[in-house]
Amino acid sequence: MADLKPLPAPFFQRFWKTLIRLIGFLLCFLVITGILAAAVFGLLPIPSPFVDGNDFSDVNIWSMVVLWAILSLATYLSIQLFWVKIDKLALRPIGLSSHNFWPNFSYGTGLGVAMISIGYLLMLLFGVANLQAGTFLFFPFLGWLIFFLIQPFFEELLFRGYVLRLIERYFSTWTAIIVSSILFGLVHAPNENFSLIGLLSIGLSGLLMGWLFVRTGSLWAPTGLHFSWNFFQGVVFGYPTSGINTYQLLENQYSGPEWLSGGEFGFEGSIIAVLLLLGVFVWDWRKGETAIIADIAVAESEQDLADL
């Protein structure tokens, strides 16, 4: 579990340093995004990815893929400028190393698939969801699959890779996990049909992904979880994803009280999502703490042998 030691300084001095760096980073990110988007969408015959409202089911998904690829690149370039060039820090804590990529990504993906699948089965049992077959269309399916690989990577690189590490540098690991999770939840507030339960579940998902990030030291575990959470929620089981409608492999009809069904905000608006996220977080946290204690015990045993 990576833990950057916070810099020794008075609280408000650390607070302002964090805030100034964050504002500068975001301004840099917006400028780079604007330049890249203007170049790509101005020079290439790519339709606009923007739509009115929350219905993205008929949007040109390949335009969305291009836009989120631009956002990811802009984030990475901003990290290179602020984290590496200005603050003279190594890129390793950002978690982009390919070491153990597949085990970490698979683990996170498995957690997301399990939670969404269990949640959907519970909603069927409670009678607030109704399974209906949709229409399989290869290119929309492929497009949304690629999109939901890139979009979570962008958000994880931004919120866990930079924001969490930035806060951790000046405060503590758990402060960074909690604050970055709150910010992650709040950026979804403009989405249509946003609810208090939705804020809680997205904040908890940020808490879980932040914990996975610092426990593994890899961005790929939370990216895998984020990918499968969004893809199976929206494309496979046909829920709105954070209030946004996508192409649906299965057409889900939901009914009953919104606190149980999620309503128009989707699975994340359900108390079932909150309980599943909380349960998985506690389970993985206890598992991770056990592994850390075991590592310490092994290290102490090795030191004892070396002292003989």
Side-chain angles (χ1 to χ4, degrees):
M1 176 177 174
D3 193 347
L4 301 178
K5 290 184 178 180
L7 298 177
F11 173 83
F12 282 106
Q13 184 178 341
R14 288 179 285 139
F15 173 81
W16 286 115
K17 284 185 176 181
T18 304
L19 184 60
I20 290 170
R21 278 167 170 75
L22 182 58
I23 293 173
F25 176 88
L26 292 176
L27 289 174
C28 178
F29 161 76
L30 291 173
V31 169
I32 295 175
T33 298
I35 293 172
L36 292 175
V40 172
F41 287 97
L43 297 175
L44 299 178
I46 303 174
S48 172
F50 300 105
V51 299
D52 293 328
N54 65 337
D55 188 1
F56 282 71
S57 57
D58 293 327
V59 72
N60 186 303
I61 186 55
W62 303 107
S63 299
M64 299 274 286
V65 168
V66 171
L67 177 58
W68 260 259
I70 290 172
L71 293 172
S72 301
L73 178 58
T75 305
Y76 177 76
L77 293 175
S78 299
I79 289 173
Q80 282 285 352
L81 176 61
F82 277 81
W83 186 265
V84 179
K85 299 298 182 183
I86 295 177
D87 284 336
K88 310 292 185 186
L89 297 170
L91 193 61
R92 182 186 56 80
I94 303 300
L96 291 171
S97 172
S98 59
H99 179 66
N100 285 334
F101 162 79
W102 187 245
N104 286 321
F105 185 80
S106 299
Y107 179 71
T109 300
L111 286 181
V113 172
M115 283 191 288
I116 295 297
S117 299
I118 291 171
Y120 190 71
L121 288 174
L122 289 173
M123 287 191 174
L124 288 175
L125 290 174
F126 291 137
V128 295
N130 181 22
L131 178 64
Q132 295 185 18
T135 302
F136 177 74
L137 300 172
F138 176 75
F139 285 107
F141 179 85
L142 178 63
W144 281 102
L145 175 64
I146 296 173
F147 172 77
F148 276 130
L149 285 168
I150 297 176
Q151 175 259 341
F153 172 73
F154 155 64
E155 292 189 2
E156 293 309 305
L157 184 61
L158 175 61
F159 284 97
R160 257 58 70 177
Y162 185 75
V163 174
L164 188 152
R165 287 303 193 204
L166 174 66
I167 298 171
E168 184 183 34
R169 186 185 178 211
Y170 290 98
F171 296 93
S172 69
T173 297
W174 278 108
T175 299
I177 292 174
I178 293 170
V179 172
S180 62
S181 301
I182 293 171
L183 294 175
F184 181 68
L186 290 175
V187 298
H188 292 80
N191 292 17
E192 291 189 21
N193 304 299
F194 186 74
S195 65
L196 182 60
I197 294 179
L199 173 62
L200 184 58
S201 66
I202 294 174
L204 281 171
S205 71
L207 191 72
L208 175 56
M209 290 184 287
W211 161 251
L212 287 176
F213 174 58
V214 299
R215 180 173 73 77
T216 63
S218 170
L219 205 65
W220 308 121
T223 298
L225 171 57
H226 203 154
F227 152 68
S228 57
W229 178 267
N230 284 354
F231 183 73
F232 276 79
Q233 180 183 178
V235 175
V236 176
F237 290 120
Y239 281 100
T241 305
S242 302
I244 295 172
N245 295 315
T246 67
Y247 161 77
Q248 300 172 350
L249 188 60
L250 299 176
E251 295 180 0
N252 175 40
Q253 301 295 322
Y254 38 87
S255 59
E258 288 191 2
W259 63 267
L260 186 59
S261 69
E264 295 293 331
F265 193 69
F267 179 71
E268 292 166 338
S270 168
I271 193 66
I272 294 175
V274 172
L275 296 175
L276 284 169
L277 286 163
L278 185 60
V280 170
F281 169 74
V282 172
W283 172 76
D284 192 89
W285 173 70
R286 295 184 65 178
K287 170 185 165 184
E289 289 296 298
T290 301
I292 292 168
I293 292 171
D295 289 342
I296 293 173
V298 169
E300 290 176 345
S301 298
E302 291 176 348
Q303 184 62 47
D304 291 340
L305 290 173
D307 292 340
L308 291 177

